[in-house]
């Protein structure tokens, strides 16, 4: 006798089970229950119908009950809700919603694919009529209807997951001003924070207001407006609110049937998708699955796994032995111009499970182009790979404009086949200039990862750079001058990578050298040069670009919207730009410069090279595919005395208009710096006085002053009292012969056995001139940085404890770093 199979849920998992089952066995009786009026609809397309990208509502309905019945001979009962299961007698109770009647149906095998439901926590005011969740077609109709009939100007989306972010974009596309509130410190949970920051930047650049690390306290509705009170006590007003803060599995039926559930209510299944009851299968959002890489149990609610599990359930019911090996969470989303995709484990999960960076796993980040740079339309992407010490690939994340998901799909395949970073290197992927590079980004990330594992480059992560101890490390910026003008990491000295071979003697060998460039490539080249010359070198992963994003607060409303792309004509201050008629006229005749396909610093270098060819007043229109270019161009214009007019989006290009001239050349001001530096070499009283007088004067003028005490100058900093420290006999001799502190310093001339020096002290007292101690104290109070040269201290046997409090210890590199921001440098 043929089997009778009941299926609960008629969308992703349920419908694919039903269709496969029929294809395998014509004789099985299949009944599919769906409580809503629709089966097999495109959940994933719902936000785009609301935003208008999908115009035709019918396009969302992939299958009608009638069509599916005609094709597959399945008894489809919409608006029929299964409300109970009797696993002993193998029956279900069904509520016919339209007729409000109940009936029973028996089964041989039961399949549960009831999906999940958006979470709606008991927040005061959450039932207001302008607060919505998006999950199915009726939700979509309600939201679309409200948007069209209520003249929505401002909306708030609560929750920065996939659906929340898609709704942000779609509401924004409708011309609505959008706030996005997220309780965590980042949106898009599958990403690690530093990649999520790229998304924050992009969302911010569209004019969306981001509220991170902030939950909702309450909602209050009044005359069409809901006021959302956040946990930090600030409030947002919105004409409508979309709640998208997570989902919970629809496992009530499983509970009623006594099936084994996990803590989150997920139904536990074996690798055949069978529940703890031998005649009940479950799949889709409602089940707990095996996380493919770690082997841990997890809830991974995605359409791909649900559909594939449907095939496996059907196979097993039809007598095939079919196993589900687990989900790895491969996902992709469109966020305005960006595509964000990921697969496998992220660092957050690894760390949560006790795995340690640098021991249990490693990371590499590269920023390659989507295809050959010389072919138009190449865009940069930020690709992160996580792998273990054997080279096994654990996960990947990618953010960019083109070719993003293609790379993640390749890496997802590698993970499926237990691939390693060496496999990624070896993959032979399709190449022609419009599609990729001869070494595809996937190959490249494999190479970069190997460089880390075989120690040909040691790396430092963006998150560790602010904690660098500049006493033991020297931070070197190896970018070109024009890039450095646009910003750099505090404390870095600047040696362009091409100068590194000639200038490496400036770098101490007893310290760790940390190199950084824009994205990590030149840093790597520099690291190889220095490493082969015997230095200990680290290269900053992801370079300055990633660090810059990592350390920026995109929730700050003060942050200029030009931080990436200006849609309106606004300046750095966020105010609308007054575009003079002259500029407007010149805009039409702007000279075009194509910097598409070039990656930072390419576009800015091209701009800097082109500008001298123009005459004052000319406007240059620069097209770039690097999304960071408008920010760089604006900063560059400001630094170089040119006028940044506006930026705009043309297709997928970022266009910046810059007029030649029209502003004071900030670069000159900047290059001169506002610092004052001195090498205090001498330990003579008069020279020490001169040094302190200049330092105090410079502070009074608002300058940042650094004094670098070396050799005899160190004696100025010695404490008067004898300090017990361990010294070699030679060091002790030095200590005895050298003056201990300011009171023992002598005049450089006319000392006359100490008489001249004593006279000088008297004259200074008579004339009310501050003593050297007073001058030192006031300089320190004014913020003058006293740096004792550690190399000289070592030679002269002076120990840290012997020097007065408030002194920093550093090497020549720390001092050279300060000189770069200085407009004069004295040797005393
Ligand atoms: P569903 O497809 O949700 O189907 C469950 C069905 O069961 C529902 O129609 C429900 O009405 C019905 N049901 C529940 N209980 C009963 C009952 N007792 N009796 C009868 N019927 C019942 N995933 C991706 O991978 N990529 C995306 O881009 C993506 N975008 C999404 C966008 C939106 C707006 C939404 C809502 C989801 C999105 N998803 C996406 C998630 C994906 O749709 C789900 O993971 C997938 O549909 C889960 O399949 P399922 O069969 O478990 O549940």
């Amino acid at each position: 006798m043929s089997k009778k199979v009941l299926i609960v849920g008629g969308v992703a998992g349920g419908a694919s089970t039903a269709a496969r089952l029929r294809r395998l066995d014509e004789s099985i009786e299949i009944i599919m229950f769906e409580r809503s009026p629709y089966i097999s609809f495109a959940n994933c397309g719902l936000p785009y119908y609301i935003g208008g990208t999908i115009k035709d509502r019918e396009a969302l309905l992939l299958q009608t009950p009638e069509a599916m019945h005609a094709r597959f001979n399945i008894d489809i009962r919409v608006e029929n809700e299964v409300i109970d299961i009797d696993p002993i007698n193998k029956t279900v109770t069904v509520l016919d919603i339209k007729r409000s009647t109940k009936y029973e149906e028996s089964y041989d095998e039961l399949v549960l694919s009831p999906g999940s439901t958006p979470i709606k926590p008991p927040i005061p005011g959450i039932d207001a009529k302008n607060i919505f969740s998006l999950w199915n077609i009726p939700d979509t109709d309600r939201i679309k209807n409200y948007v069209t009939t209520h003249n929505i100007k401002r909306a708030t989306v609560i929750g920065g997951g996939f659906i929340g972010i898609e709704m942000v974009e779609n509401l924004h596309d409708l011309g609505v001003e959008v706030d996005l509130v997220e309780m965590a410190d980042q949106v898009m949970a599958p990403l690690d924070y530093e990649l999520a920051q790229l998304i924050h930047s992009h969302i911010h650049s569209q004019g969306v207001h981001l509220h991170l690390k902030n939950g909702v306290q309450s909602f209050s509705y009044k005359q069409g407006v809901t006021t959302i009170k956040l946990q930090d006590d600030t409030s947002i007003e919105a004409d409508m609110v979309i709640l998208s803060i997570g989902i919970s599995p629809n496992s009530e039926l499983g509970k009623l049937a006594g099936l084994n559930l996990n803590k989150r209510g997920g139904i536990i299944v074996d690798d055949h998708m069978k529940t703890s009851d031998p005649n009940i299968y479950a799949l889709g959002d409602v089940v707990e699955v095996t996380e493919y890489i770690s082997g841990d149990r997890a809830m991974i609610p995605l359409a791909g796994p649900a559909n594939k599990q449907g095939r496996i359930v059907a196979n097993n019911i039809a007598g095939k032995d079919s196993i589900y090996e687990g989900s790895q969470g491969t996902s992709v989303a469109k966020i305005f111009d960006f595509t964000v995709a990921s697969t496998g484990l992220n660092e957050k999960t690894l760390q949560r499970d006790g795995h340690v960076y640098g021991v249990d796993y490693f990371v590499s980040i590269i920023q390659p182009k989507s295809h050959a740079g010389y072919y138009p339309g190449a865009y940069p992407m930020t690709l992160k790979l996580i792998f273990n010490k054997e080279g096994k690939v654990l996960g990947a994340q990618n953010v960019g404009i083109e070719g993003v998901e293609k790379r993640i799909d390749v890496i997802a395949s590698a993970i499926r086949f237990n691939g390693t970073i060496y496999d990624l290197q070896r993959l032979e992927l399709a190449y022609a200039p419009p599609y990729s590079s001869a070494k595809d980004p996937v190959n490249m990330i494999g190479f970069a990862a190997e460089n880390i594992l075989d120690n040909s480059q040691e790396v430092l992560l963006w998150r560790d750079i602010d904690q660098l101890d500049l006493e033991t490390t020297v931070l070197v910026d190896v970018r070109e001058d024009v890039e450095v003008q646009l910003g750099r990491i505090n404390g870095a000295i600047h040696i362009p990578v091409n100068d590194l071979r000639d200038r490496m003697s400036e770098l101490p060998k007893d310290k760790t050298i940390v190199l950084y460039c824009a994205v990590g490539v030149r840093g790597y080249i520099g690291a190889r040069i220095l490493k082969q010359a015997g230095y200990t070198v680290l290269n900053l992963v992801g370079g300055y670009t990633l660090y810059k994003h990592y350390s920026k607060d995109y929730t700050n409303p003060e942050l200029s919207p030009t931080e990436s792309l200006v849609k309106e004509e606004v300046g750095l201050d966020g105010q609308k730009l007054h575009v003079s008629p002259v500029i407007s006229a010149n805009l039409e005749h702007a000279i075009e410069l194509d910097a598409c396909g070039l990656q930072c610093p390419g576009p800015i270098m091209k701009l800097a090279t082109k500008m001298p060819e123009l005459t004052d007043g000319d406007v240059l229109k620069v097209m770039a595919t690097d999304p960071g270019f408008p920010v760089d161009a604006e900063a560059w214009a400001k630094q170089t005395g040119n006028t940044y007019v506006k930026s705009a989006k043309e297709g997928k290009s970022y266009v910046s208009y810059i007029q030649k001239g029209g502003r004071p050349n900030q670069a000159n001001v900047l290059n001169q710096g506002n610092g004052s530096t001195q090498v205090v070499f001498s330990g003579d009283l008069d020279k020490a006085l001169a040094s302190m007088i200049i330092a105090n004067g410079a502070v009074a003028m608002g300058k940042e002053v650094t004094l670098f005490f070396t050799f005899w100058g160190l004696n100025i900093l010695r404490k008067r009292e004898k300090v017990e420290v361990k010294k070699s006999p030679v060091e002790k001799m030095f200590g005895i012969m050298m003056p201990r502190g300011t009171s023992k310093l002598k005049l450089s001339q006319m000392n006359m056995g100490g008489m001249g020096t004593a006279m000088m002290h008297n004259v200074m007292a008579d004339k009310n001139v501050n003593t050297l101690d007073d001058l030192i104290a006031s300089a320190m109070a004014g913020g003058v940085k006293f740096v004792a040269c550690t190399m000289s201290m070592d030679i002269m046997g002076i120990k840290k404890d012997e020097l007065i409090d408030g002194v920093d210890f550093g090497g020549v590199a720390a001092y050279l770093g300060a000189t770069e921001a200085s407009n004069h440098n004295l040797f005393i």
Side-chain angles (χ1 to χ4, degrees):
M1 206 178 74
S2 81
K3 276 187 190 170
K4 180 174 176 186
V5 176
L6 304 186
I7 298 174
V8 182
V11 188
S16 56
T17 305
R20 170 76 179 163
L21 199 51
R22 174 57 71 231
R23 287 195 295 271
L24 291 176
D25 192 333
E26 277 289 320
S27 69
I28 294 180
E29 181 186 358
I30 306 171
I31 306 174
M32 187 167 84
F33 302 97
E34 169 55 55
R35 67 181 170 197
S36 82
Y38 308 96
I39 59 156
S40 202
F41 63 87
N43 330 39
C44 313
L46 304 181
Y48 301 97
Y49 171 64
I50 293 170
T53 305
I54 298 173
K55 302 251 176 300
D56 182 6
R57 185 176 176 281
E58 295 304 302
L60 299 172
L61 306 172
L62 306 176
Q63 187 65 279
T64 63
E66 298 72 30
M68 192 164 180
H69 172 74
R71 174 76 42 97
F72 293 104
N73 186 26
I74 292 165
D75 180 354
I76 297 170
R77 302 187 190 168
V78 290
E79 296 182 84
N80 275 246
E81 181 176 7
V82 176
I83 54 172
D84 203 1
I85 301 173
D86 177 351
I88 311 283
N89 296 310
K90 296 210 281 181
T91 57
V92 298
T93 310
V94 185
L95 170 70
D96 184 326
I97 296 171
K98 266 192 175 162
R99 295 195 182 91
S100 292
T101 53
K102 289 181 192 166
Y103 61 95
E104 281 194 357
E105 201 69 62
S106 64
Y107 63 82
D108 295 309
E109 311 279 359
L110 175 64
V111 178
L112 301 179
S113 190
S116 48
T117 303
I119 294 173
K120 198 172 168 192
I123 299 172
I126 199 161
D127 291 322
K129 63 179 184 183
N130 64 351
I131 301 182
F132 303 89
S133 290
L134 174 63
W135 204 245
N136 49 33
I137 298 268
D139 293 341
T140 310
D141 290 338
R142 272 192 294 275
I143 296 171
K144 182 106 179 159
N145 181 42
Y146 199 84
V147 170
T148 18
T149 54
H150 283 76
N151 187 25
I152 303 297
K153 294 251 181 314
R154 199 161 173 178
T156 295
V157 175
I158 318 278
F162 286 86
I163 299 172
I165 297 255
E166 284 169 4
M167 280 310 297
V168 165
E169 178 180 349
N170 280 288
L171 288 167
H172 181 273
D173 283 354
L174 291 171
V176 176
E177 188 173 352
V178 187
D179 284 83
L180 172 60
V181 177
E182 166 59 56
M183 184 112 84
D185 62 354
Q186 66 163 87
V187 301
M188 300 300 284
L191 296 181
D192 286 317
Y193 179 77
E194 70 284 353
L195 266 81
Q197 277 285 81
L198 305 179
I199 306 299
H200 299 157
S201 157
H202 191 55
I203 291 174
H204 171 83
S205 75
Q206 307 292 324
V208 172
H209 314 286
L210 251 187
H211 309 263
L212 298 174
K213 288 196 265 185
N214 219 339
V216 178
Q217 279 192 46
S218 65
F219 298 101
S220 60
Y221 176 84
K222 202 173 172 190
Q223 292 176 338
V225 176
T226 285
T227 304
I228 304 135
K229 188 166 179 207
L230 301 182
Q231 271 162 4
D232 68 357
D233 284 337
T234 56
S235 293
I236 308 167
E237 295 202 331
D239 301 323
M240 78 182 294
V241 177
I242 303 288
L243 262 189
S244 185
I245 53 177
I247 52 172
S248 62
N250 291 336
S251 52
E252 302 79 12
L253 286 175
K255 206 171 171 187
L256 288 172
L259 304 180
N260 287 348
L261 306 183
N262 70 11
K263 278 190 194 139
R264 291 181 55 194
I267 298 178
I268 296 172
V269 289
D270 63 14
D271 56 5
H272 287 74
M273 304 306 298
K274 199 173 258 188
T275 67
S276 49
D277 183 299
N279 300 106
I280 305 179
Y281 291 85
L283 71 156
D285 286 3
V286 80
V287 297
E288 177 190 272
V289 292
T290 300
E291 198 291 315
Y292 183 74
I293 302 149
S294 64
D296 294 340
R297 303 293 287 173
M299 305 285 291
I300 303 182
L302 287 168
N307 277 278
K308 284 184 262 295
Q309 290 160 9
R311 182 179 171 93
I312 285 165
V313 168
N315 285 350
N316 287 322
I317 292 173
K320 285 172 168 269
D321 185 15
S322 213
I323 282 180
Y324 187 68
E325 290 181 333
S327 302
Q328 63 194 74
T330 308
S331 64
V332 62
K334 175 182 177 302
I335 303 175
F336 295 99
D337 298 330
F338 276 13
T339 299
V340 45
S342 65
T343 185
L345 301 176
N346 59 26
E347 273 199 85
K348 283 181 298 191
T349 312
L350 286 164
Q351 287 172 0
R352 187 200 60 201
D353 295 344
H355 299 290
V356 178
Y357 167 74
V359 180
D360 304 315
Y361 75 91
F362 300 82
V363 301
S364 179
I365 292 187
I366 58 168
Q367 293 168 62
K369 286 187 278 289
S370 52
H371 61 247
Y374 57 84
Y375 187 88
Y379 292 88
M381 63 181 77
T382 304
L383 175 59
K384 174 174 182 175
L385 189 76
I386 304 173
F387 48 97
N388 70 12
K389 58 179 177 294
E390 285 77 39
K392 184 178 173 190
V393 180
L394 304 177
Q397 300 155 40
N398 200 2
V399 174
I401 291 174
E402 286 274 349
V404 169
E405 71 291 354
K406 163 167 139 172
R407 273 65 193 211
I408 286 298
D409 281 345
V410 172
I411 296 174
S413 311
I415 289 178
R416 233 344 115 153
F417 302 124
N418 289 318
T420 64
I421 58 168
Y422 310 104
D423 294 318
L424 299 187
Q425 297 173 5
R426 287 189 284 260
L427 286 176
E428 191 179 313
L429 302 170
Y431 161 64
Y435 304 104
S436 182
S437 299
K439 281 187 260 178
D440 187 88
V442 173
N443 302 134
M444 292 304 296
I445 195 98
F447 298 136
E450 183 186 22
N451 291 340
I452 291 170
L453 284 190
D454 73 5
N455 264 340
S456 43
Q457 74 161 333
E458 287 171 59
V459 292
L460 183 79
L461 299 187
W462 52 91
R463 57 184 177 237
D464 295 328
I465 200 135
D466 288 336
Q467 285 82 50
L468 271 188
D469 177 3
L470 291 177
E471 253 186 65
T472 54
T473 48
V474 180
L475 185 58
V476 186
D477 186 331
V478 297
R479 296 173 302 158
E480 298 303 316
D481 293 356
V482 62
E483 300 170 86
V484 178
Q485 278 178 18
L486 305 179
R488 63 169 151 176
I489 301 175
N490 283 343
I493 63 168
H494 176 216
I495 306 179
V497 69
N498 293 351
D499 298 351
L500 211 47
R501 288 186 183 84
D502 296 336
R503 290 180 57 188
M504 71 170 76
S505 59
E506 293 172 28
L507 300 171
K509 279 216 164 131
D510 59 345
K511 294 197 174 184
T512 301
I513 312 296
V514 176
L515 301 186
Y516 74 89
C517 63
V519 297
V521 177
R522 285 169 289 169
Y524 168 56
I525 295 166
R528 292 301 305 152
I529 295 170
L530 292 182
K531 191 160 182 165
Q532 291 176 65
Y535 286 88
T536 306
V537 203
L538 302 176
N539 181 27
L540 177 63
V541 175
Y544 181 70
T545 315
L546 191 69
Y547 168 80
K548 190 175 69 176
H549 282 298
Y550 178 73
S551 38
K552 209 162 253 175
D553 178 9
Y554 291 107
T555 61
N556 180 0
E558 304 292 314
L559 200 67
S560 159
T562 53
E563 279 301 334
S564 43
L565 175 68
V566 195
K567 282 207 152 177
E568 298 241 35
E569 295 176 4
V570 290
L572 275 173
D573 50 5
Q575 299 298 314
K576 276 213 166 203
L577 275 177
H578 172 69
V579 182
S580 75
V582 179
I583 294 180
S584 297
N586 286 351
L587 279 182
E588 282 170 31
H589 304 106
I591 298 154
E592 296 199 351
L593 181 68
D594 185 1
C596 291
L598 297 178
Q599 200 172 331
C600 180
I604 209 80
M605 304 278 286
K606 211 165 174 183
L607 166 62
T609 315
K610 182 75 183 172
M611 199 52 102
E613 296 171 17
L614 274 61
T615 46
D616 271 6
D618 283 350
V619 174
L620 193 61
K621 175 185 176 185
V622 193
M623 285 86 69
T625 42
D626 177 357
F629 178 68
V631 188
D632 284 353
E634 185 167 12
W636 180 87
K638 199 175 172 219
Q639 304 286 338
T640 51
N642 297 297
T643 308
Y644 189 80
V645 182
K646 66 168 185 172
S647 63
K649 195 78 199 303
E650 279 184 16
K652 286 188 172 176
S653 292
Y654 298 83
V655 180
S656 294
Y657 292 87
I658 301 138
Q659 188 192 30
K660 178 149 178 160
R663 282 195 181 181
N665 191 330
Q666 297 276 324
N668 293 343
V669 179
L670 189 96
N671 283 342
Q672 284 167 11
N674 191 32
S676 167
T677 45
Q678 298 179 25
V679 179
V680 186
F681 175 82
S682 167
D684 295 333
L685 174 64
D686 41 354
K687 291 178 183 164
L689 280 165
S691 159
M692 291 306 141
I693 289 166
I694 295 167
N696 277 290
V699 165
M701 288 171 68
K703 290 182 179 295
E704 283 186 17
V705 187
T706 303
L707 306 183
F708 187 69
F709 293 84
T710 182
F711 287 95
W712 315 119
L714 287 168
N715 292 320
I716 302 169
L717 303 180
R718 287 181 77 189
K719 289 177 184 159
R720 289 176 185 201
E721 66 278 12
K722 192 169 184 317
V723 179
E724 288 307 328
V725 282
K726 221 172 145 196
K727 291 195 176 193
S728 68
V730 180
E731 287 175 340
K732 275 188 189 148
M733 285 287 290
F734 259 124
I736 293 164
M737 289 188 308
M738 290 187 304
R740 202 165 60 218
T742 50
S743 61
K744 297 279 177 10
L745 301 182
K746 298 186 177 82
L747 286 177
S748 60
Q749 296 186 22
M750 295 195 327
N751 182 42
M752 298 181 298
M755 266 177 56
T757 302
M759 279 166 64
M760 175 63 87
H761 282 301
N762 287 339
V763 172
M764 283 171 63
D766 287 348
K767 298 196 181 271
N768 224 2
V769 175
N770 285 343
T771 63
L772 183 53
D773 284 341
D774 292 340
L775 288 168
I776 290 175
S778 69
M780 279 189 167
V784 173
K785 211 167 165 195
F786 284 60
V787 182
C789 169
T790 44
M791 188 269 290
S792 314
M793 286 173 67
D794 194 34
I795 292 173
M796 299 170 76
I798 296 176
K799 308 294 172 193
K800 286 183 178 178
D801 288 346
E802 288 184 275
L803 301 187
I804 58 175
D805 293 340
V807 172
D808 291 338
F809 300 92
V812 67
Y815 166 68
L816 288 174
T819 61
E820 294 220 0
S822 160
N823 62 3
H824 63 252
N825 180 29
L826 305 175
F827 188 89
I828 294 180

